[in-house]
């Protein structure tokens, strides 16, 4: 099996990781593109002694720490939220968040995460602890849930509240989502892709973002369809069926960027 065949199944998930790390589709995808270009230029940088997914993420991590993508040369961000997240990127120490996301979102083991970051397991554990402390310092916010499956909505509501946030409402359709959003502007939106009325959660969110800039996490059973890098796509994705820790990690990550935005204002 050649290198392209080895890494192809993992590229959508590397995009997810990069977007979560940067808070932006554009900047995250730029780092993934740079990683692939580096592999094309020199295939010897790919560690053939490792699992292919671990090896790909390791190459990405090495590039992330050694190359500064010029964010000012990227296309304009899709909305004010992404643009501000992009601006705040350089003010944030990324290594602890990489460790946090590798375990909580990408589901790597501590041993694999340490290999990806090129650190010892003890240091990796310290990085996760540092990230957890940073995330815990975030102020509580209000959350709108857009989800048409009652049991899933209930699970998400419990997870959100366990982090100290409040739920402003649960919407099942595009109309309900807009009404709840206008009644009480939330600090965060968790949105399913497919809604009960057959509409798209992405369309509902886009309608909301025309009147206010708010961070959004999308929920989908088909993440590969939204991680192609070929069109405007979500920066933050939760995959169904989801792990509670993944939802909690991304909520904390989004609010981390939100806090940076407020400090920069």
């Amino acid at each position: 099996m050649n290198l392209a065949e080895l890494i192809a199944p993992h590229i959508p998930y590397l995009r997810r990781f990069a977007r979560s790390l940067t808070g932006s589709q554009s900047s995250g995808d730029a780092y993934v593109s740079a990683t692939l270009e580096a592999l094309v230029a020199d295939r010897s940088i790919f560690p053939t002694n490792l699992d292919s997914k671990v090896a790909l993420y390791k190459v990405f991590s090495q590039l992330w720490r050694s190359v500064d993508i010029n964010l000012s040369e990227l296309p304009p961000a899709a909305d004010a939220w992404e643009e501000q997240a992009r601006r705040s990127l350089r003010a944030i120490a990324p290594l602890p968040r990489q460790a946090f996301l590798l375990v909580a979102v990408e589901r790597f083991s501590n041993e694999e995460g340490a290999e990806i970051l090129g650190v010892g397991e003890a240091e990796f554990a310290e990085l996760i602890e540092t990230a957890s402390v940073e995330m815990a310092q975030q102020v509580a916010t209000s959350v709108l849930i857009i989800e048409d499956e009652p049991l899933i909505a209930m699970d998400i509501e419990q997870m959100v509240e366990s982090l100290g946030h409040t739920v402003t409402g649960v919407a099942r359709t595009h109309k309900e989502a807009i009404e709840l959003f206008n009644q009480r502007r939330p600090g965060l939106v968790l949105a399913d892709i497919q809604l009960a009325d057959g509409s798209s959660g992405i369309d509902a969110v886009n309608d909301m973002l025309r009147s206010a800039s708010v961070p959004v996490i999308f929920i989908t059973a088909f993440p590969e369809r939204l991680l192609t890098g070929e069109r405007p796509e979500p920066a933050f994705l939760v995959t169904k069926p989801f792990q509670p820790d993944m939802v909690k990690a991304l909520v904390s990550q989004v609010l981390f960027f939100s806090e940076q935005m407020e400090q920069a204002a």
Side-chain angles (χ1 to χ4, degrees):
M1 187 178 295
N2 61 36
L3 181 58
E5 292 173 326
L6 279 174
I7 67 175
H10 310 308
I11 291 174
Y13 299 97
L14 183 63
R15 286 196 184 99
R16 176 178 66 183
F17 174 68
R19 293 175 189 183
S20 297
L21 189 62
T22 63
S24 161
Q25 177 194 346
S26 299
S27 54
D29 287 358
Y31 273 101
V32 172
S33 294
T35 299
L36 299 179
E37 289 168 5
L39 285 169
V40 169
D42 183 4
R43 297 193 179 191
S44 68
I45 65 175
F46 188 81
T48 56
N49 61 319
L50 300 176
D51 170 83
S52 58
K53 186 174 183 179
V54 172
L56 178 62
Y57 278 64
K58 185 178 181 71
V59 173
F60 171 88
S61 179
Q62 291 170 338
L63 182 138
W64 165 265
R65 285 181 284 175
S66 62
V67 177
D68 182 24
I69 298 293
N70 189 346
L71 301 183
S72 65
E73 295 180 357
L74 295 174
D79 54 55
W81 156 251
E82 181 173 324
E83 184 63 33
Q84 184 59 59
R86 185 186 293 176
R87 288 178 192 150
S88 68
L89 179 59
R90 288 189 176 88
I92 306 170
L95 199 57
R97 291 189 294 104
Q98 282 191 76
F100 183 78
L101 291 170
L102 285 171
V103 172
V105 176
E106 301 303 319
R107 314 308 295 174
F108 287 108
S109 67
N110 278 22
E111 181 181 0
E112 291 170 329
E115 178 66 46
I116 289 168
L117 296 187
V119 300
E121 287 191 52
E123 183 179 349
F124 187 80
E126 291 178 2
L127 290 171
I128 291 179
E129 179 62 25
T130 298
S132 298
V133 170
E134 285 185 347
M135 301 302 181
Q137 293 173 347
Q138 303 308 313
V139 296
T141 192
S142 56
V143 180
L144 171 61
I145 298 171
I146 307 173
E147 170 60 61
D148 64 340
E149 298 183 38
L151 291 178
I152 294 179
M154 188 180 302
D155 286 343
I156 295 173
E157 187 169 3
Q158 290 174 347
M159 283 184 280
V160 166
E161 291 177 343
S162 74
L163 292 171
H165 309 301
T166 58
V167 174
T168 61
V170 177
R172 299 180 64 251
T173 66
H174 182 285
K175 182 180 178 181
E176 289 177 4
I178 299 301
E179 288 177 349
L180 286 172
F181 183 81
N182 289 332
Q183 287 171 12
R184 183 181 174 190
R185 293 289 169 87
L188 174 68
V189 175
L190 285 168
D192 193 1
I193 300 297
Q194 284 296 127
L195 303 184
D197 58 356
S199 65
S200 165
I202 295 178
D203 290 340
V205 166
N206 285 337
D207 286 344
M208 295 174 189
L209 293 178
R210 290 190 181 97
S211 60
S213 180
V214 59
V216 180
I217 298 174
F218 284 98
I219 303 171
T220 176
F222 305 101
E224 299 91 344
R225 297 179 184 177
L226 293 171
L227 293 168
T228 66
E230 297 173 354
R231 58 186 181 275
E233 297 169 333
F236 296 97
L237 283 178
V238 170
T239 305
K240 287 184 178 179
F242 53 75
Q243 296 288 336
D245 285 348
M246 178 184 288
V247 178
K248 292 180 180 180
L250 283 182
V251 167
S252 296
Q253 179 75 351
V254 169
L255 294 178
F256 183 80
F257 278 108
S258 182
E259 181 72 8
Q260 293 294 321
M261 287 165 55
E262 291 177 4
Q263 290 176 6

